[in-house]
Amino acid sequence: MKSLFALKSLRRVGRPFWVAMSVMLISLTTARAMIDQNGNGMSDVWEWLYNAYGIDPNQDSDGDKFSNLQEALAGTNPSDSNSFPHITFAAMGSNGFSVTVPCALGKNYQLQSADNPNSTNWIVETNIVARSGTNVTLTAQVSATARFYRVAISDVSSDGVGLTDWEAYQLGLNPTNAFSNGQQDTNGNAMNDYEYALSKLAQQNVITIAATGPTATQPDPGTKATSFGQFTITRGGFPLNALTINLATIPSGPGFGTPGVDFVSLPTAIILPAGTSSETFTLVPMANTNLQAPVLAQWKVLSDPKHLYTLGDPKVASVVVYPSPTAKGTGLLGQYYTNSSSTYTNTLNFNPTNLFLTRTDPVIDFNWTNGTSPNLSNGTYTVRWTGQVQPQFSETYMFDVKSDDGCKLWVNDQLLINKWQSQGLTDWTNSIALQAGTRYDIKLEYLQTGGAAQAHLYWYSPSQSEEIIPNSSLYPSNSYVPSATNAAAAVTSPLTAVAFLGQPFTFTVTGANSPLGFSVTDLPPGLGFNPTNNIISGVPTVAGTFSASLTCSNLAGVGASTLTI
């Protein structure tokens, strides 16, 4: 393939030496020695390098009088009218002359001569494959007869595996070593550079997003955040060019945080420079004293109207933003009744007509005697404390009720202790796994059948010594409604799970405070969610890291979380 690009004439006075020079392109490689999967005669590497994949080879995109095919052969930019193959300098000497040409590494440059411009027998005067620098200089001896000269640019493949040397340089490979990539195929065999390049280019400029820092915690007002989330945007293939990636934040709604309130607003675009395959962006949480349950900060990749990249999976990623774990409680709502019964189902217990006191008790740490108010040591009574308890650590907590007489304790609407009976001062314990910063429903009921009267509520965990639960970790109910929960629902299932391609997968979504319903979105291909049993199941069909969004709700509010599969 030949094409005349430029013509320069040199004439040295007093000597019969007349030189006509042109720049031309000639393809000397076989079809296999170039990656051209779309079959348009141009290197796919060149097309991706200049954001020109699928470009028409016969058009002149930049109007510089050189077709896209000609620029592909020269390795020049089809979108820059100042980038094209040309001679920049020619010098005459006493015995010959030289020409200087801008070069692309890996291209072969020849100075050729013939006795007429239409000759089919051009002689190679100089042959250079560019290995360094930005220019090559080609020389020829002076002839006694008039000669015509031209510069030819062509591709070569030194390793013979299917890549041109120019392609190898662009992809960071060694053109003289067919296995310079150092990778293995799925069978553990060494991949040659051509196979490696094909496997990478199959994902060229496919954009995915992941929450590489899946959680963040809001700071207290007046303090700086110390727990940040992270998103990572990644492109597949080789980072040949600069790309602008369009993004959007999921609009606020139930289970989702509000930009500018719960976290610093996320940008609508980021740039991946040439040579950069991924970019990590930090999500900065903001103080919001109104947030009581975790919410999601969700970021998604938008399609590109210029078609410079395509969307892969996952397209959406979520960071869970937790409320500040600093406890700000004031105690539990206490309701005091007379005329108790050791039979729990007896209608005398907690009968509204027997309610004689309602107040907020900072802690449950009572030893009632004649000097206390109220005095529960002179009769039969029941007391019901309701509200929420907020742990500081994500771990298993042991709850300990020491009472005289009986007691019943619920945490997260689970009955942990059930000892409604007449007894001396006795400890009863049970454990439950809790999530730091989450408010859980708690209800403690106390029975006093006469004589000594005590009630104490302790807790401890691997990170916390045993103590009376402090008032800062207890939040009172605004009112007691038997049919409704007092705390917003919260997702409590793990944040990560592992699935295998082609194998069945199941995962149960769980929540705190008696959720009335769950939702799951953005699952990997092949998986689905059954809201009747709250199970994610199926057979995964695509490999990768996927971030599913989970929400659960009750009458008090919505909680959210993520599941990275």
Side-chain angles (χ1 to χ4, degrees):
M1 184 177 297
K2 302 181 181 180
S3 178
L4 186 65
F5 284 110
L7 181 66
K8 289 189 177 181
S9 296
L10 297 177
R11 180 179 179 83
R12 187 168 183 178
V13 179
R15 298 192 59 183
F17 182 60
W18 203 93
V19 180
M21 288 188 296
S22 67
V23 180
M24 64 157 304
L25 295 171
I26 180 169
S27 176
L28 300 179
T29 57
T30 63
R32 185 175 180 275
M34 176 177 70
I35 296 179
D36 181 21
Q37 292 191 296
N38 58 11
N40 61 4
M42 302 183 294
S43 167
D44 293 351
V45 176
W46 176 85
E47 292 179 81
W48 286 117
L49 176 65
Y50 292 115
N51 287 330
Y53 193 80
I55 196 172
D56 186 342
N58 299 312
Q59 288 187 352
D60 175 12
S61 296
D62 56 8
D64 58 7
K65 309 303 182 183
F66 308 110
S67 73
N68 296 325
L69 177 59
Q70 293 168 336
E71 298 221 38
L73 290 171
T76 53
N77 188 346
S79 300
D80 182 359
S81 60
N82 293 315
S83 175
F84 56 89
H86 60 285
I87 296 170
T88 58
F89 182 74
M92 298 284 295
S94 59
N95 296 318
F97 71 96
S98 63
V99 294
T100 300
V101 180
C103 70
L105 297 185
K107 295 289 183 178
N108 185 51
Y109 295 84
Q110 292 182 349
L111 180 61
Q112 302 175 349
S113 68
D115 55 7
N116 72 80
N118 297 316
S119 174
T120 58
N121 184 30
W122 287 83
I123 298 173
V124 177
E125 301 283 350
T126 308
N127 183 83
I128 296 176
V129 177
R131 301 296 185 194
S132 63
T134 58
N135 295 287
V136 293
T137 298
L138 307 171
T139 61
Q141 297 296 314
V142 171
S143 171
T145 60
R147 301 286 291 176
F148 293 86
Y149 293 84
R150 70 185 185 189
V151 174
I153 307 174
S154 62
D155 276 313
V156 294
S157 179
S158 297
D159 59 18
V161 297
L163 284 180
T164 68
D165 287 14
W166 179 86
E167 289 174 326
Y169 280 124
Q170 298 302 318
L171 302 182
L173 301 171
N174 183 346
T176 63
N177 178 2
F179 295 89
S180 66
N181 66 88
Q183 302 298 308
Q184 296 179 333
D185 61 21
T186 55
N187 296 319
N189 300 317
M191 297 177 68
N192 65 43
D193 287 352
Y194 180 79
E195 295 167 337
Y196 169 73
L198 285 182
S199 68
K200 291 271 285 185
L201 287 173
Q203 293 295 314
Q204 187 66 22
N205 288 353
V206 176
I207 306 299
T208 59
I209 186 170
T212 46
T215 64
T217 302
Q218 292 188 340
D220 293 321
T223 64
K224 294 183 178 180
T226 59
S227 172
F228 304 93
Q230 280 191 337
F231 293 100
T232 298
I233 293 91
T234 303
R235 62 163 147 188
F238 297 94
L240 297 174
N241 53 351
L243 282 180
T244 299
I245 311 301
N246 302 310
L247 300 135
T249 304
I250 301 296
S252 299
F256 292 94
T258 302
V261 176
D262 293 306
F263 53 89
V264 176
S265 297
L266 298 166
T268 57
I270 66 165
I271 296 175
L272 291 177
T276 299
S277 294
S278 64
E279 193 75 34
T280 296
F281 189 87
T282 300
L283 178 130
V284 180
M286 300 172 64
N288 179 11
T289 57
N290 293 322
L291 187 65
Q292 297 186 14
V295 292
L296 298 181
Q298 197 169 75
W299 215 15
K300 67 176 179 179
V301 182
L302 302 178
S303 59
D304 177 31
K306 297 180 180 179
H307 306 293
L308 300 181
Y309 64 80
T310 56
L311 302 185
D313 286 314
K315 306 174 184 65
V316 178
S318 303
V319 168
V320 184
V321 181
Y322 290 98
S324 167
T326 302
K328 304 180 182 69
T330 57
L332 295 178
L333 177 69
Q335 295 170 305
Y336 292 74
Y337 301 81
T338 60
N339 299 324
S340 63
S341 170
S342 58
T343 301
Y344 183 74
T345 56
N346 192 308
T347 57
L348 292 176
N349 288 326
F350 311 109
N351 192 310
T353 61
N354 295 327
L355 178 65
F356 69 92
L357 176 65
T358 299
R359 69 181 184 183
T360 297
D361 287 325
V363 295
I364 311 305
D365 188 22
F366 295 105
N367 185 358
W368 289 283
T369 66
N370 290 329
T372 61
S373 178
N375 180 12
L376 301 189
S377 65
N378 60 359
T380 58
Y381 299 91
T382 54
V383 184
R384 175 180 278 148
W385 291 281
T386 57
Q388 300 93 48
V389 61
Q390 180 183 353
Q392 182 181 358
F393 305 101
S394 294
E395 55 195 18
T396 298
Y397 275 76
M398 185 70 72
F399 284 81
D400 177 355
V401 179
K402 180 183 290 188
S403 65
D404 177 358
D405 291 294
C407 61
K408 291 170 75 80
L409 175 68
W410 292 260
V411 177
N412 188 21
D413 301 324
Q414 299 178 40
L415 181 60
L416 299 185
I417 298 172
N418 185 12
K419 296 298 178 181
W420 196 258
Q421 60 198 25
S422 296
Q423 62 181 31
L425 188 62
T426 308
D427 281 283
W428 300 104
T429 62
N430 203 349
S431 63
I432 186 172
L434 301 179
Q435 194 175 75
T438 299
R439 296 186 189 183
Y440 293 85
D441 286 340
I442 185 170
K443 180 170 66 173
L444 173 61
E445 294 179 342
Y446 167 72
L447 168 68
Q448 162 61 356
T449 60
Q454 292 191 48
H456 312 273
L457 179 59
Y458 301 85
W459 68 354
Y460 59 92
S461 73
S463 302
Q464 180 177 291
S465 300
E466 185 169 11
E467 64 177 358
I468 292 290
I469 301 179
N471 69 316
S472 58
S473 296
L474 299 173
Y475 298 80
S477 304
N478 293 324
S479 62
Y480 178 63
V481 182
S483 62
T485 185
N486 296 312
V491 178
T492 57
S493 45
L495 296 176
T496 60
V498 177
F500 295 90
L501 285 178
Q503 298 185 27
F505 171 84
T506 59
F507 181 92
T508 301
V509 183
T510 60
N513 305 321
S514 300
L516 299 176
F518 291 86
S519 70
V520 179
T521 59
D522 307 315
L523 284 169
L527 299 186
F529 176 66
N530 184 346
T532 61
N533 58 14
N534 304 326
I535 292 178
I536 298 170
S537 63
V539 178
T541 59
V542 176
T545 300
F546 299 83
S547 182
S549 300
L550 318 178
T551 64
C552 64
S553 61
N554 59 20
L555 297 179
V558 178
S561 186
T562 60
L563 173 62
T564 300
I565 303 176

